[in-house]
Amino acid sequence: MNDLNQMFFQECDDLLEQLSSGLNDLEAGAGDEETVNSMFRAVHSMKGGAGAFGLDQLVSFAHAFENVLDDIRSQRLVVGDNVVNLLLTASDHLADLVEAASQGTELPSEQGASILSDLKHISNAANGTSGDEQETVEEVDEADFQPTFLAIDGDLPSLDDMAAPESDAPVTIRFKASQQLFANGHDPAILFRSLETLGKLEVEADLSALTPLRDGPWSEPALSWTLTFTADDSVDEAAIREVFEFVEGLCELEISAAETGPGGLPPLPAPSDIQLRPDAMAKDTVTAAAVAQPADDAPAPNQSEAVAPANSGPPAASRPASSRTSTIRVDLDRVDRLINLVGELVIAEAMLRQSMDEMPSSANSGVDEAMSQLKTLSGAIQESVMAIRAQPVRSLFQRMSRIVRETAREAGKSARLVTVGDATEVDKTVTERLVEPLTHMIRNAIDHGLETPEARRAAGKDERGTVTLEASHRSGRVVILIKDDGAGINREKVRQIAIEKGLIRPEDDLGDSDIDNLLFRPGFSTAGEISNLSGRGVGMDVVRNEIQSLGGRVSLQSMPGRGTSVTVSLPLTLAVLEGMVVKIADQSLIVPTLPLREMLQPGQAKVHTLCDGDSVLALNGEMVPIRDLGTALGFRSTPVSLGNQSLLLIEGDSGHRYALAVDGIAEQREVVIKGLEQNYQKIPGIAAATILGDGKIALIVDTDQMIVPPGQGGWVDRAWPDATGDFHHA
Amino acid sequence: MHDTQTGSRTANRVEIVCFTVEDQDFSIEISHVLEIRGWTSTTTLPHAPDFVVGMMNLRGTVLPVVDLSLRLGFGKTEPGKRHVIIIAQIDHKIIGFLVDAVSDIITVDEAEMQATPDVSSSRTQAFIRGVHSLDDKLVRAIDVREVLPREAPLSA
């Protein structure tokens, strides 16, 4: 039961995502018939599942929601902005209800009551008298709606039919559930009830196949039902089929029109007779094709006139073939274990290669060949294992659209979210850990970035602000852009506050980007009064820390009056890193390749020594400070002569450059990242560790922590993190 | 009477791994010990306390090695081929202890452990849980949690 419960909630997550993605399409005006259908299915499935678990609150809300969606797909309701907004709010509330249900609680009934009544109102209006209908259309009209035409299956009713809407002829539906239908938790009664909402229904159960209990086996369901269904024209066979959509393949279903009355036109698009059977499921297209022609393999007892004439479109084929790929759910721990093992495999392979290279060069080309094959294979395995954890950022972005709505409401602003590239795949851990920083940045963008509607109008902008979330892959990394079209950072104000906070001195001459980067300084996040600042800054240091702990970088660009954008660049996976193996004091260390701009061999570099052992590198007219890695990490107390050292030009997140002096550069390679914190603790200046081909551990340098941070005296302050990882300023 | 005593004894019996550091006998509960390995070279850690020898690679797991001699206030160990690393799991951390040699695995009665003698050294008080008399030897039970390197208070 518990498992079943859990499965339901997992399914709900998927369904909510489906719903939300449909809503986004609808909001963007890109929704078609199938969009609405899939949204309807999502809500309907949730309702069904919730019903099975007795989650009444969820059921009743989903029901009202479903009705509105049904109105839309049957064109009784025109989709306008106000409808989309209501649906968005409703989907948020639905998510809340699911969340509450998964915690075993219910939401207070007053919460969402207004949404529920809005939903009911709108669907009542759509289904009401023609006068009411007129009203709805007008109401929608005002709100600058984009009409979305939703075609219903089959031919449109002819004028004759319109004149006589009550010319309904009963449809006979024969339904027999398979064992699997019950095993999957469906209930015929729920299906019938749902059918009943479309028209008049008479149900008759066929008990003839029932066997006395003692005769067994009782696992085969024996009941079948004959339903006589009467509805007006708007309900065609496709609509009936849709009710049974979720049990497709789990039952035998026959739909046939009864004899039509004399003179009356058949109100339904010419019905066909199909049998959906479990074995036909796999060949969806085959089934669909079979519908178009007389179903020769359907041993229906009362086939008579039910054979489909060719002129009616095959109902099943009118639905686009589902492009759903099949997936399985796997415990994340198992995947992690697999990833670790593959990491070991790659290391073992490298170790083997190394010891082979050390062997006297034998004429053993066979082994050589096998080795390179092994390398290719282990590389391919590693890649596909990593791909298991990869996930499109879509769900993450969809979560953000809710944040946008809520923050805009709180801040009394009007904002919409535009997402670009939401199919971009990122490691699951990365998406999970991005939720918080993204939330933070989006809140910032709306609260501080966007102006009030009045101010926007005055500035000649659209009253409604736009927040754009954009994901893309760029040279082996994921780049996520959070952009607003607000007022941009008020640099003068930021500067003022930095001076007040003692972060800079009044006489410091900082460039625009230097000022913008002040927002990442810890001092900026603590003070309450800054939240009224029309720039940014609340908690940006927290955001930066979080992104950095993912191996990512954040930078910020702002254009006065045009808006601000924050760029987050992240590694695709947290497990592997491209690095340069360097030597320092008999130790091998790894310097990540990412911030590396240039490498200078001994003698190549123009080095000037300032006082106190400080040196700078003259590079294209720029003076770049030099840091000796050996002394920085405490491996030696005094720097060795720079003349024999190689220099690595590093560019940090904030754009500041420095040269890292090392004893030698060995090779570039991909390394598997091993955290130090699990068994030990954080080490200042070190990001993580890895295992080299010889089985030895090499530490991975945290290049950002090697940067001399800006202090009171501009960018020349010497500071070094102490054991706590904090920077101390002189 | 005698019987019940034996009964309660078995309940409190623990297996300990005895080892030597600077010719002194110490012990650690076997439940903490994952395995015992010969010395392999480690990678030096920057900004680490002196008793943390470095990081070692145990089949893909990166773990710190503590020089128990230095930690307990004896001299610094110059590790060589004869030295031994006891791999121990404490809570969720895996850590290596560099010791001179592992001598024995014995079963002792927890109740027979004597409190650490009232000596002045705070290090003794902190690191030694108690002592067992074994024949003519005195085996000092290590408090594994205390000898671990202290977690540096990290700013978030």
mmCIF file of all heavy atoms in Angstrom, chain B residues 84-103:
data_model
loop_
_atom_site.group_PDB
_atom_site.id
_atom_site.type_symbol
_atom_site.label_atom_id
_atom_site.label_comp_id
_atom_site.label_asym_id
_atom_site.label_seq_id
_atom_site.Cartn_x
_atom_site.Cartn_y
_atom_site.Cartn_z
ATOM 1 N N VAL B 84 51.970 0.428 10.077
ATOM 2 C CA VAL B 84 50.660 -0.128 9.761
ATOM 3 C C VAL B 84 49.615 0.981 9.844
ATOM 4 O O VAL B 84 49.742 1.888 10.670
ATOM 5 C CB VAL B 84 50.326 -1.256 10.785
ATOM 6 C CG1 VAL B 84 48.888 -1.706 10.657
ATOM 7 C CG2 VAL B 84 51.271 -2.424 10.617
ATOM 8 N N ILE B 85 48.625 0.901 8.956
ATOM 9 C CA ILE B 85 47.505 1.847 9.047
ATOM 10 C C ILE B 85 46.233 1.079 9.397
ATOM 11 O O ILE B 85 45.875 0.107 8.728
ATOM 12 C CB ILE B 85 47.308 2.614 7.722
ATOM 13 C CG1 ILE B 85 48.548 3.450 7.409
ATOM 14 C CG2 ILE B 85 46.080 3.512 7.795
ATOM 15 C CD1 ILE B 85 48.499 4.143 6.077
ATOM 16 N N ILE B 86 45.621 1.474 10.480
ATOM 17 C CA ILE B 86 44.340 0.874 10.854
ATOM 18 C C ILE B 86 43.247 1.729 10.228
ATOM 19 O O ILE B 86 43.146 2.932 10.527
ATOM 20 C CB ILE B 86 44.160 0.841 12.387
ATOM 21 C CG1 ILE B 86 45.272 -0.002 13.027
ATOM 22 C CG2 ILE B 86 42.798 0.291 12.761
ATOM 23 C CD1 ILE B 86 45.248 0.004 14.543
ATOM 24 N N ILE B 87 42.461 1.123 9.347
ATOM 25 C CA ILE B 87 41.363 1.870 8.711
ATOM 26 C C ILE B 87 40.132 1.719 9.603
ATOM 27 O O ILE B 87 39.669 0.600 9.844
ATOM 28 C CB ILE B 87 41.037 1.320 7.315
ATOM 29 C CG1 ILE B 87 42.298 1.133 6.472
ATOM 30 C CG2 ILE B 87 40.010 2.205 6.623
ATOM 31 C CD1 ILE B 87 42.915 2.380 5.939
ATOM 32 N N ALA B 88 39.642 2.826 10.093
ATOM 33 C CA ALA B 88 38.520 2.768 11.033
ATOM 34 C C ALA B 88 37.366 3.601 10.521
ATOM 35 O O ALA B 88 37.566 4.602 9.832
ATOM 36 C CB ALA B 88 38.962 3.289 12.401
ATOM 37 N N GLN B 89 36.181 3.139 10.839
ATOM 38 C CA GLN B 89 34.998 3.937 10.495
ATOM 39 C C GLN B 89 34.402 4.483 11.774
ATOM 40 O O GLN B 89 34.044 3.743 12.691
ATOM 41 C CB GLN B 89 33.967 3.080 9.764
ATOM 42 C CG GLN B 89 32.689 3.861 9.519
ATOM 43 C CD GLN B 89 31.911 3.356 8.341
ATOM 44 O OE1 GLN B 89 32.079 2.209 7.935
ATOM 45 N NE2 GLN B 89 31.064 4.184 7.786
ATOM 46 N N ILE B 90 34.304 5.786 11.823
ATOM 47 C CA ILE B 90 33.744 6.432 13.007
ATOM 48 C C ILE B 90 32.585 7.289 12.541
ATOM 49 O O ILE B 90 32.762 8.197 11.745
ATOM 50 C CB ILE B 90 34.814 7.279 13.709
ATOM 51 C CG1 ILE B 90 35.930 6.345 14.191
ATOM 52 C CG2 ILE B 90 34.221 8.045 14.884
ATOM 53 C CD1 ILE B 90 37.287 6.911 14.101
ATOM 54 N N ASP B 91 31.414 6.946 13.027
ATOM 55 C CA ASP B 91 30.187 7.539 12.499
ATOM 56 C C ASP B 91 30.196 7.350 10.985
ATOM 57 O O ASP B 91 30.269 6.245 10.537
ATOM 58 C CB ASP B 91 30.043 8.991 12.931
ATOM 59 C CG ASP B 91 30.045 9.117 14.459
ATOM 60 O OD1 ASP B 91 29.566 8.162 15.102
ATOM 61 O OD2 ASP B 91 30.543 10.101 14.992
ATOM 62 N N HIS B 92 30.186 8.435 10.217
ATOM 63 C CA HIS B 92 30.163 8.233 8.766
ATOM 64 C C HIS B 92 31.512 8.470 8.136
ATOM 65 O O HIS B 92 31.646 8.405 6.932
ATOM 66 C CB HIS B 92 29.105 9.128 8.144
ATOM 67 C CG HIS B 92 27.727 8.765 8.581
ATOM 68 N ND1 HIS B 92 27.164 7.557 8.251
ATOM 69 C CD2 HIS B 92 26.848 9.412 9.364
ATOM 70 C CE1 HIS B 92 25.965 7.495 8.809
ATOM 71 N NE2 HIS B 92 25.753 8.601 9.492
ATOM 72 N N LYS B 93 32.489 8.771 8.953
ATOM 73 C CA LYS B 93 33.795 9.080 8.404
ATOM 74 C C LYS B 93 34.694 7.858 8.407
ATOM 75 O O LYS B 93 34.663 7.053 9.331
ATOM 76 C CB LYS B 93 34.448 10.189 9.228
ATOM 77 C CG LYS B 93 33.750 11.509 9.065
ATOM 78 C CD LYS B 93 34.572 12.649 9.595
ATOM 79 C CE LYS B 93 33.929 13.943 9.151
ATOM 80 N NZ LYS B 93 34.782 15.083 9.280
ATOM 81 N N ILE B 94 35.499 7.758 7.356
ATOM 82 C CA ILE B 94 36.501 6.703 7.319
ATOM 83 C C ILE B 94 37.847 7.373 7.467
ATOM 84 O O ILE B 94 38.131 8.377 6.807
ATOM 85 C CB ILE B 94 36.415 5.902 6.010
ATOM 86 C CG1 ILE B 94 35.040 5.259 5.900
ATOM 87 C CG2 ILE B 94 37.499 4.843 5.963
ATOM 88 C CD1 ILE B 94 34.793 4.571 4.586
ATOM 89 N N ILE B 95 38.659 6.834 8.366
ATOM 90 C CA ILE B 95 39.900 7.509 8.702
ATOM 91 C C ILE B 95 40.978 6.452 8.931
ATOM 92 O O ILE B 95 40.670 5.328 9.326
ATOM 93 C CB ILE B 95 39.659 8.409 9.943
ATOM 94 C CG1 ILE B 95 40.665 9.527 10.003
ATOM 95 C CG2 ILE B 95 39.612 7.618 11.212
ATOM 96 C CD1 ILE B 95 40.147 10.725 10.738
ATOM 97 N N GLY B 96 42.209 6.792 8.641
ATOM 98 C CA GLY B 96 43.301 5.848 8.868
ATOM 99 C C GLY B 96 44.138 6.287 10.065
ATOM 100 O O GLY B 96 44.384 7.469 10.249
ATOM 101 N N PHE B 97 44.534 5.315 10.890
ATOM 102 C CA PHE B 97 45.425 5.633 12.013
ATOM 103 C C PHE B 97 46.772 4.992 11.744
ATOM 104 O O PHE B 97 46.873 3.773 11.593
ATOM 105 C CB PHE B 97 44.853 5.105 13.330
ATOM 106 C CG PHE B 97 43.605 5.816 13.770
ATOM 107 C CD1 PHE B 97 42.381 5.161 13.818
ATOM 108 C CD2 PHE B 97 43.657 7.159 14.135
ATOM 109 C CE1 PHE B 97 41.236 5.819 14.211
ATOM 110 C CE2 PHE B 97 42.504 7.819 14.538
ATOM 111 C CZ PHE B 97 41.302 7.152 14.577
ATOM 112 N N LEU B 98 47.804 5.806 11.706
ATOM 113 C CA LEU B 98 49.152 5.287 11.516
ATOM 114 C C LEU B 98 49.689 4.844 12.867
ATOM 115 O O LEU B 98 49.767 5.647 13.805
ATOM 116 C CB LEU B 98 50.035 6.401 10.912
ATOM 117 C CG LEU B 98 51.523 6.101 10.806
ATOM 118 C CD1 LEU B 98 51.793 4.940 9.871
ATOM 119 C CD2 LEU B 98 52.268 7.350 10.330
ATOM 120 N N VAL B 99 50.032 3.537 12.993
ATOM 121 C CA VAL B 99 50.563 3.010 14.258
ATOM 122 C C VAL B 99 51.814 2.193 13.950
ATOM 123 O O VAL B 99 52.110 1.906 12.782
ATOM 124 C CB VAL B 99 49.527 2.136 15.005
ATOM 125 C CG1 VAL B 99 48.260 2.931 15.287
ATOM 126 C CG2 VAL B 99 49.177 0.886 14.203
ATOM 127 N N ASP B 100 52.536 1.799 15.016
ATOM 128 C CA ASP B 100 53.773 1.046 14.805
ATOM 129 C C ASP B 100 53.476 -0.374 14.361
ATOM 130 O O ASP B 100 54.016 -0.861 13.393
ATOM 131 C CB ASP B 100 54.603 1.023 16.101
ATOM 132 C CG ASP B 100 55.223 2.393 16.353
ATOM 133 O OD1 ASP B 100 55.215 3.213 15.409
ATOM 134 O OD2 ASP B 100 55.706 2.631 17.472
ATOM 135 N N ALA B 101 52.585 -1.048 15.094
ATOM 136 C CA ALA B 101 52.288 -2.435 14.762
ATOM 137 C C ALA B 101 50.983 -2.845 15.418
ATOM 138 O O ALA B 101 50.592 -2.281 16.441
ATOM 139 C CB ALA B 101 53.407 -3.348 15.258
ATOM 140 N N VAL B 102 50.297 -3.798 14.824
ATOM 141 C CA VAL B 102 49.109 -4.365 15.457
ATOM 142 C C VAL B 102 49.546 -5.657 16.136
ATOM 143 O O VAL B 102 50.206 -6.493 15.519
ATOM 144 C CB VAL B 102 48.016 -4.631 14.410
ATOM 145 C CG1 VAL B 102 46.894 -5.463 15.002
ATOM 146 C CG2 VAL B 102 47.458 -3.318 13.881
ATOM 147 N N SER B 103 49.225 -5.817 17.426
ATOM 148 C CA SER B 103 49.776 -6.954 18.143
ATOM 149 C C SER B 103 48.767 -8.080 18.327
ATOM 150 O O SER B 103 49.131 -9.250 18.256
ATOM 151 C CB SER B 103 50.323 -6.504 19.505
ATOM 152 O OG SER B 103 49.380 -5.649 20.131
#
